[in-house]
Amino acid sequence: RDRVRPRRRPRGRRSPGGETRDAPRLLVVSRRGRDDEGDEREAPQPTLADLPALLETARAAGTTVTVETEGEPWEPAPTAQIAVYRVLQEALANARRHAPGRPVAVRLAWSPAAVVVTVRNPAGRAAPPQDARPGHGLVGMRERAAVLGGTLDARRTPDGAWLVRLTVPRAPARD
């Protein structure tokens, strides 16, 4: 006889307050490090205020990065700020890995409904290094977007460039 199992609610469902139930997981998953005395500590999570340093790191590694901002920025939830930072970090690393020396254009488009982060770079001139192992970068970026109710589009464009576009909806205001 077949037993019917109760259906589980899909992960990432929104709570009445607008936050996803999985959102706390994004805050809990943090890198650990050691403090000056060798004790384990949790590293602070990045915010949008850390984007200039991230872009400078990419530039110091030899990547020409241009940034365009459109619209009036607003303060996203902490989980959204982490997602924006991490997706931008991964997109910059992928551009550096797969198209070294090619310029990268970053665009942050703010609207009352969402922030859209677009990273675009021309295709690399050479094949990726032989020792380059495929990672989980795109999967992780898509998961971050989905947990926030957003989307991630990562693809080659008709002109051969690579495009990553993250859309993060604005969380509803809480009373």
Side-chain angles (χ1 to χ4, degrees):
R1 176 176 173 176
D2 292 330
R3 289 190 161 187
V4 177
R5 293 183 187 197
R7 291 179 61 187
R8 292 184 182 182
R9 293 177 70 171
R11 296 179 78 199
R13 298 282 303 258
R14 290 193 175 276
S15 69
E19 290 281 329
T20 64
R21 289 191 332 239
D22 289 341
R25 282 185 353 151
L26 284 177
L27 290 173
V28 171
V29 177
S30 65
R31 294 185 177 205
R32 296 193 180 270
R34 304 254 178 220
D35 62 19
D36 292 339
E37 297 174 7
D39 295 327
E40 191 172 285
R41 62 169 173 74
E42 290 193 12
Q45 292 298 302
T47 67
L48 295 183
D50 298 310
L51 291 183
L54 175 63
L55 296 167
E56 272 312 306
T57 299
R59 290 178 180 121
T63 304
T64 300
V65 181
T66 58
V67 180
E68 175 187 348
T69 302
E70 176 185 307
E72 188 64 37
W74 38 267
E75 185 79 16
T79 53
Q81 292 189 44
I82 294 167
V84 167
Y85 182 95
R86 295 293 185 210
V87 168
L88 180 56
Q89 182 181 43
E90 183 67 26
L92 290 169
N94 285 345
R96 195 167 44 254
R97 185 178 307 116
H98 299 292
R102 307 292 282 168
V104 177
V106 175
R107 182 170 183 258
L108 291 107
W110 298 86
S111 74
V115 59
V116 179
V117 180
T118 305
V119 181
R120 188 177 195 285
N121 63 278
R125 295 185 178 123
Q130 292 295 331
D131 63 344
R133 293 181 293 152
H136 302 288
L138 289 177
V139 171
M141 287 192 281
R142 283 192 175 96
E143 287 174 352
R144 286 182 186 279
V147 164
L148 297 169
T151 59
L152 184 96
D153 178 24
R155 61 184 162 83
R156 190 166 298 282
T157 63
D159 65 354
W162 186 252
L163 177 90
V164 174
R165 179 173 291 132
L166 170 68
T167 303
V168 178
R170 188 173 194 165
R174 291 185 166 175
D175 293 335

